[in-house]
Amino acid sequence: MSDSTPALDRSEPSGPRSGLDDRLDGLPGLLALVVAVNAVGAAPALLGGPDSAWFDALTKPALYPPSWSFGAVWTALFTLSAVAVWLLVRAEPTDARRLALAAFGAQFAVNLAWTPTFFTLRQIAPALGVIVVLAVLLAGTVAAFARVDRRAAALLVPYLAWVCFAAVLNYRFLVLN
């Protein structure tokens, strides 16, 4: 018996495979994703951030980094996340890819909830709950990305590490205040 299924030619670069993929193809698509993820990720800061009398009055944990570092770190992490999503969008459309992209969307939505919970609502304990849920969802997202593209998963690891660090910071704010 012979297999009549044609062999996949692995020598060709993988490229877009759907209408969405076509719109995100190449450098313009990558740049569009980087801008979009950074813009959406930064949007909650418009509702409130560390520039408030309430936050200034809080006792800061000893491991609290310089304030300027948060913007730089989040920009880098959102950029890496956008590249990871771009790699997935260009992968073969499978159930694993759909699950990974849905996982990314879910964790990103939870990420967007943390800033208003902590800074606008001034709810340190609920913010800790949000960031713990974020860490769990993000760990699942990394695992889901790894099933599709290990490079994309690796790009999310610094994001997961930072979220875990931020959860420790949030916990320390709760204990000290």
Side-chain angles (χ1 to χ4, degrees):
M1 287 180 88
S2 69
D3 184 3
S4 62
T5 305
L8 292 176
D9 180 7
R10 302 263 186 223
S11 64
E12 291 184 26
S14 90
R17 306 216 194 304
S18 73
L20 173 64
D21 302 340
D22 289 340
R23 288 189 297 276
L24 296 176
D25 191 21
L27 187 57
L30 174 59
L31 292 175
L33 267 175
V34 167
V35 169
V37 170
N38 273 283
V40 173
L46 299 173
L47 300 173
D51 298 331
S52 71
W54 171 79
F55 186 72
D56 285 341
L58 293 177
T59 301
K60 309 295 185 287
L63 50 82
Y64 186 74
S67 294
W68 63 264
S69 66
F70 288 92
V73 168
W74 278 112
T75 299
L77 296 174
F78 286 148
T79 298
L80 290 174
S81 296
V83 174
V85 168
W86 183 77
L87 288 170
L88 250 64
V89 166
R90 296 183 48 75
E92 188 71 32
T94 63
D95 288 342
R97 182 183 89 153
R98 281 185 285 285
L99 176 65
L101 291 172
F104 182 84
Q107 68 75 31
F108 199 58
V110 172
N111 182 317
L112 298 176
W114 184 87
T115 297
T117 304
F118 189 93
F119 290 110
T120 306
L121 300 175
R122 301 175 180 176
Q123 297 295 312
I124 299 173
L128 179 59
V130 169
I131 205 162
V132 167
V133 169
L134 173 58
V136 170
L137 290 175
L138 188 50
T141 301
V142 171
F145 271 48
R147 289 186 195 103
V148 179
D149 188 322
R150 289 190 173 283
R151 300 168 301 166
L155 290 170
L156 295 179
V157 171
Y159 177 22
L160 178 58
W162 181 259
V163 165
C164 290
F165 172 71
V168 171
L169 270 179
N170 193 146
Y171 172 75
R172 294 300 303 151
F173 269 104
L174 181 63
V175 168
L176 295 171
N177 297 282

